[in-house]
Amino acid sequence: MSTLTYRGLELDGFQRQAIEYLQAGHSVLVAAPTGTGKTLVADWIVEEAMKQNKSVVYTAPIKALSNQKYRDYCALYGEKNVGLITGDLVIRRDAPCKVMTTEILRNMLLCEDSIDDLMAVIVDEIHFLDDPDRGTTWEEMLIYLPEHVQIVGLSATLQNLREFSDWLSHVRKRPVPVVEERTRAVPLRYSVATRQTGLVSVDKAKALLKDRKKRKKDKGARRGKGKQGGGRRPHNRHATTHIDVFKMMRSQKQWPYLYFTFSRAKTENLSHALKHWLHETLLSEEELEKMQDVIQHFLQLPGGEEALQEPVLELLRYGVAFHHAGVHVLIKHLVETLYEQRLIKALYCTGTFALGINMPAKATVFDSLERYNGSGMIPLPTREFMQMAGRAGRRGLDKTGLVVMRINDDEYMDFHDQIKGYLSASYEPVDSRFSLSFNSVVNLLHRNPQERIRELVEMSFLSWRRQLKAQREREEAEKLQEQLEHLVELHSHNKAQKKTRKEINRRVHRAQNMENQTWAEFETRVNFLKRYRYIGEDGTFYAGAKIVMCFQIQEIFVTELFMLGLLEGLGDAELFGLFCGLVVELPRNVYVFRKPTKAMRDMMRDVRLVFISDIVRESARLTQQQLVWEPQMLHIGQAWAEGKSLVEIQNMFSCPTDISGMLIGAFRRAKDLLSQLRTAYVDMPEQYEQYTALMKAVSRDEVEVVA
């Protein structure tokens, strides 16, 4: 293949450079804005591996992206050559090209599954390494991969990309070059939408609103002369609404557009509000006919008719839709299909729609530049903003992509500096979230000698960054030592010498702590396991350590439930209901109508006592994992295991938003946990078969859908 073209397409410079590195046997990090063609590099390595009769793995952070790549690769290379392994289901495990979640690959490596013929691993959205909940998995996977395996890391631009590359080079024991492209194929233009200014550029908005604010202040001063100030701030009657934005987008024919909000409920509420405001559909007669064909096909799918409720159907016929992680998986797939066919003009969605899924728009709109991070409101990080903004501009269709920020007139100056930061692309650095799980700790202890364990732990990006900081502290200490020697030569005042010595000691001490900190944290976990008798003082594995090797979800919590016998004596449906309660937290406004039986109340009490126990709480603190116990899911999970449909289950509770997608996700995660429990009974055929049968029973309808 000429590196100038691929599949008849002329390669961009960064694509050509990345492929040349791969041809030379290197791993490579490819950083480029959304929509510039990073995935073409991944496609090349997939094809090259199959030409050489070797295997290749594509990993992604979310199952929706894994499923999309599975469909794409099946179309490109033929179904027999592509497999999908996500934990929910396994399709063609022995195919040369396997699409899987990062967790699955990490587990395969940890359990030493045979991957001798593995040529390369594509890590899409590799910056997910700093995800608070799942980042450790990324680091472990990159550390455990054999040195001969090429890594193709795909990412948006990162502030500390070179540092990340240096760490990966250290782990791989050979250089990992960076290929970076900052120019988008379709340039973005940024605008502000306010009721006062309309749709204008960022700089023009500043000038207009600043002038307006000054005139308003002067007018207010004249009116209020001699009056006392104070009182409550009046309600803003001039707030800019999503309807105002819609009018602006329609007048400039800027659709399809994605309207990003950071609330699932808001995506639904705003989309229905727009539909009620509209007097007629946004679709032409021809488009309505196309939509009707798609919907008719959808209604023939298993579960399609039950999933598509009338309010959503009416919304779609207006050319409007919503999309978020809680939506029914079939409805998400339908919305994505209609959007791809340009039958959705305004799509209200959360940030997950921007994550890797190839769904470009003519324009993107931000309802807010702040989001909730679990404890309070924070400015939207640049990386997240650019991930969503980057969906604007369709290659081959648009000369530019429009990015719109909806802001109230009187709030613009509060956000001006933040917006300027976005425009300057001041990305946050990728950080390490390395926090060895107890499952990882016991597996490392079980499979490796002490010196190898320390080597693996200190390969982490966290340890690498600490080593760099320690090195800088030592360098500063050396400079101070030179200053001290100079002070001594000059017979300077003892007070100055004493202060310098103190600073030298402080820096040396800090460097020593940083150098050993990651290993010390590993030892803290080992000591925890010894204190609670999971492991003996001599390293002997007791029951707790052997059981925790099986579990990766709520490890210590589930292990304690297992060892206390709380998983025994439960019927299949009750066990599945319990597991559903261990994998998801329902929104606060969900109310389940059914009342628990006495036996269920007793079980809930016993589980809660374990949930609040010292060992479970301390394990969560050490690993920084969030504990989950949702009693309301017991009824819901039990009903699913008993064969109830999703529609029947939705009649069991009240909730103002659609959480069917969340429930399906919970059923899948509970099935994953059930699979982990099954491994504890691998030598007990009767129970192993019992759990296998239960897994099969809950793997039906929407849970099986690859969408």
Side-chain angles (χ1 to χ4, degrees):
M1 181 205 87
S2 163
T3 52
L4 294 174
T5 61
Y6 175 58
R7 288 194 203 138
L9 300 171
E10 187 175 338
L11 295 174
D12 293 337
F14 82 95
Q15 295 168 331
R16 190 162 59 246
Q17 187 182 4
I19 289 173
E20 285 171 353
Y21 277 129
L22 292 171
Q23 286 175 322
H26 289 285
S27 293
V28 67
L29 288 175
V30 184
T34 303
T36 50
K38 294 188 294 288
T39 54
L40 190 141
V41 178
D43 295 348
W44 182 88
I45 197 72
V46 169
E47 198 167 299
E48 188 65 19
M50 289 197 287
K51 281 180 185 175
Q52 297 184 28
N53 292 319
K54 293 184 178 179
S55 66
V56 61
V57 167
Y58 172 95
T59 73
I62 58 172
K63 288 175 182 175
L65 183 52
S66 295
N67 293 338
Q68 185 185 59
K69 292 307 294 186
Y70 168 72
R71 294 194 298 270
D72 291 347
Y73 283 157
C74 281
L76 279 171
Y77 308 118
E79 287 190 4
K80 66 177 182 179
N81 292 315
V82 185
L84 177 67
I85 309 172
T86 64
D88 299 333
L89 72 169
V90 176
I91 302 173
R92 292 181 291 276
R93 189 185 185 96
D94 297 325
C97 173
K98 287 180 274 290
V99 177
M100 62 180 70
T101 56
T102 313
E103 282 83 356
I104 296 290
L105 179 56
R106 173 263 192 193
N107 295 342
M108 289 171 64
L109 295 167
L110 198 59
C111 297
E112 299 175 340
D113 281 13
S114 177
I115 52 170
D116 294 337
D117 68 339
L118 183 60
M119 175 176 163
V121 171
I122 300 150
V123 188
D124 207 347
E125 311 286 355
I126 198 170
H127 54 269
F128 242 73
L129 181 133
D130 72 355
D131 180 77
D133 297 320
R134 302 167 64 200
T136 295
T137 301
W138 264 252
E139 288 196 44
E140 290 186 15
M141 182 266 289
L142 293 169
I143 290 167
Y144 299 152
L145 271 174
E147 290 174 26
H148 73 272
V149 177
Q150 290 176 272
I151 293 171
V152 182
L154 307 179
S155 174
T157 300
L158 305 172
Q159 187 189 93
N160 59 335
L161 195 58
R162 302 292 164 178
E163 180 192 28
F164 186 63
S165 167
D166 288 344
W167 166 70
L168 203 50
S169 300
H170 167 71
V171 170
R172 309 305 299 160
K173 295 184 170 57
R174 60 188 302 180
V176 177
V178 172
V179 175
E180 193 168 8
E181 174 60 67
R182 292 184 176 272
T183 305
R184 283 178 50 89
V186 181
L188 297 178
R189 56 190 178 94
Y190 299 88
S191 295
V192 171
T194 79
R195 179 173 281 192
Q196 175 70 18
T197 64
L199 196 60
V200 295
S201 69
V202 170
D203 289 331
K204 190 173 182 181
K206 179 184 178 183
L208 289 172
L209 293 171
K210 208 172 181 181
D211 179 62
R212 179 176 179 271
K213 190 174 182 180
K214 183 177 183 301
R215 284 189 281 109
K216 191 175 179 181
K217 186 177 180 182
D218 292 343
K219 188 177 180 181
R222 289 194 299 272
R223 280 183 175 177
K225 194 172 181 180
K227 293 183 181 180
Q228 295 296 316
R232 232 168 39 167
R233 185 174 177 175
H235 172 69
N236 186 359
R237 292 181 292 109
H238 303 291
T240 309
T241 71
H242 69 109
I243 301 292
D244 295 322
V245 175
F246 169 79
K247 293 175 186 176
M248 298 174 203
M249 304 301 277
R250 180 169 62 176
S251 68
Q252 297 192 18
K253 296 185 178 177
Q254 291 289 341
W255 56 34
Y257 68 86
L258 304 177
Y259 192 101
F260 286 108
T261 78
F262 303 105
S263 158
R264 294 178 181 182
K266 203 167 186 181
T267 64
E268 299 185 27
N269 295 338
L270 295 185
S271 60
H272 285 293
L274 176 60
K275 179 252 173 185
H276 287 304
W277 180 84
L278 290 168
H279 298 297
E280 57 186 6
T281 178
L282 301 175
L283 304 177
S284 66
E285 286 188 16
E286 185 182 347
E287 288 173 327
L288 278 170
E289 286 178 14
K290 279 181 70 178
M291 174 171 281
Q292 192 58 36
D293 289 343
V294 174
I295 289 173
Q296 283 302 319
H297 176 73
F298 175 83
L299 292 174
Q300 292 168 16
L301 295 175
E305 194 169 346
E306 293 82 3
L308 187 56
Q309 301 296 306
E310 187 60 34
V312 174
L313 179 57
E314 191 65 19
L315 197 64
L316 296 176
R317 286 174 175 153
Y318 269 70
V320 181
F322 60 85
H323 187 290
H324 60 72
V327 172
H328 191 299
V329 65
L330 286 172
I331 299 301
K332 275 194 285 191
H333 189 40
L334 173 61
V335 169
E336 290 164 14
T337 301
L338 293 171
Y339 183 84
E340 284 178 319
Q341 296 190 25
R342 304 180 196 173
L343 299 176
I344 301 295
K345 306 302 180 184
L347 178 61
Y348 291 83
C349 52
T350 55
T352 54
F353 193 79
L355 193 60
I357 301 174
N358 185 27
M359 297 283 176
K362 191 174 183 66
T364 54
V365 181
F366 288 83
D367 186 63
S368 174
L369 298 179
E370 296 179 313
R371 69 164 173 80
Y372 187 68
N373 72 344
S375 57
M377 298 301 291
I378 62 167
L380 185 64
T382 301
R383 201 188 309 160
E384 294 179 25
F385 176 87
M386 294 307 298
Q387 183 93 41
M388 290 177 258
R391 291 294 158 203
R394 300 161 299 175
R395 198 167 187 171
L397 291 173
D398 304 317
K399 291 182 179 178
T400 61
L402 178 64
V403 180
V404 179
M405 290 157 275
R406 184 208 64 82
I407 295 177
N408 294 331
D409 301 336
D410 57 350
E411 293 175 343
Y412 177 77
M413 293 313 297
D414 297 336
F415 290 102
H416 180 72
D417 290 344
Q418 185 179 334
I419 292 171
K420 282 296 187 183
Y422 295 147
L423 270 58
S424 66
S426 52
Y427 289 90
E428 301 82 12
V430 63
D431 205 351
S432 173
R433 303 291 182 173
F434 192 71
S435 174
L436 278 168
S437 66
F438 286 104
N439 176 274
S440 296
V441 170
V442 293
N443 273 289
L444 284 170
L445 290 171
H446 179 66
R447 301 176 193 282
N448 300 279
Q450 185 84 348
E451 60 274 11
R452 175 59 177 161
I453 295 172
R454 181 157 191 169
E455 181 186 355
L456 289 169
V457 169
E458 293 189 341
M459 276 186 183
S460 67
F461 190 39
L462 176 64
S463 182
W464 168 263
R465 299 195 85 192
R466 285 170 172 170
Q467 297 286 348
L468 291 180
K469 288 179 183 177
Q471 185 179 332
R472 288 195 289 269
E473 291 289 346
R474 290 194 184 281
E475 288 169 357
E476 288 299 318
E478 287 173 7
K479 290 178 185 176
L480 289 169
Q481 185 63 41
E482 291 174 6
Q483 291 178 22
L484 178 60
E485 290 168 5
H486 187 58
L487 289 172
V488 171
E489 287 173 7
L490 295 174
H491 303 288
S492 63
H493 197 279
N494 283 338
K495 189 174 181 180
Q497 293 183 32
K498 186 177 179 181
K499 184 179 178 181
T500 305
R501 283 194 182 92
K502 188 175 180 180
E503 181 63 15
I504 290 169
N505 291 335
R506 189 175 70 84
R507 289 187 178 274
V508 169
H509 180 68
R510 192 188 296 170
Q512 289 172 340
N513 284 342
M514 285 179 183
E515 286 172 335
N516 298 312
Q517 189 174 350
T518 311
W519 179 246
E521 288 169 356
F522 178 85
E523 290 186 312
T524 299
R525 286 158 176 70
V526 174
N527 290 334
F528 168 92
L529 294 170
K530 288 179 177 178
R531 187 165 72 255
Y532 286 102
R533 303 294 290 166
Y534 276 46
I535 294 175
E537 288 298 326
D538 61 353
T540 302
F541 271 33
Y542 297 141
K546 292 174 183 176
I547 297 304
V548 84
M549 284 179 70
C550 301
F551 295 118
Q552 296 162 46
I553 298 172
Q554 304 254 61
E555 314 151 302
I556 298 296
F557 186 14
V558 179
T559 298
E560 286 295 300
L561 293 174
F562 182 97
M563 293 201 299
L564 289 168
L566 296 179
L567 305 184
E568 297 175 8
L570 298 177
D572 285 354
E574 292 172 314
L575 177 64
F576 188 73
L578 171 59
F579 278 4
C580 286
L582 299 176
V583 298
V584 68
E585 282 188 332
L586 292 172
R588 293 177 184 174
N589 49 11
V590 172
Y591 176 73
V592 177
F593 303 131
R594 288 190 182 181
K595 297 294 183 185
T597 62
K598 183 181 182 305
M600 190 177 280
R601 286 199 304 272
D602 290 344
M603 179 183 70
M604 289 162 62
R605 180 201 62 220
D606 292 341
V607 173
R608 174 160 176 77
L609 288 174
V610 178
F611 180 69
I612 63 174
S613 65
D614 291 343
I615 181 172
V616 171
R617 292 285 166 173
E618 189 178 345
S619 71
R621 181 184 60 78
L622 284 176
T623 56
Q624 299 177 340
Q625 292 177 341
Q626 183 181 357
L627 291 173
V628 176
W629 170 229
E630 179 57 80
Q632 290 200 102
M633 280 299 297
L634 267 66
H635 286 300
I636 294 171
Q638 186 171 334
W640 180 260
E642 289 170 346
K644 298 283 195 300
S645 70
L646 196 62
V647 173
E648 290 175 302
I649 288 172
Q650 286 174 302
N651 292 327
M652 292 169 50
F653 62 86
S654 66
C655 182
T657 61
D658 182 1
I659 60 167
S660 54
M662 177 184 285
L663 296 183
I664 292 164
F667 299 155
R668 289 175 170 175
R669 287 273 286 167
K671 192 185 84 171
D672 289 346
L673 186 50
L674 188 60
S675 173
Q676 292 165 23
L677 174 64
R678 186 179 63 167
T679 62
Y681 290 98
V682 71
D683 296 323
M684 302 174 68
E686 187 176 332
Q687 283 173 294
Y688 188 88
E689 288 304 319
Q690 176 191 344
Y691 296 137
T692 301
L694 178 55
M695 287 172 63
K696 186 176 180 180
V698 299
S699 300
R700 67 176 199 280
D701 305 337
E702 296 89 343
V703 171
E704 274 195 326
V705 172
V706 180

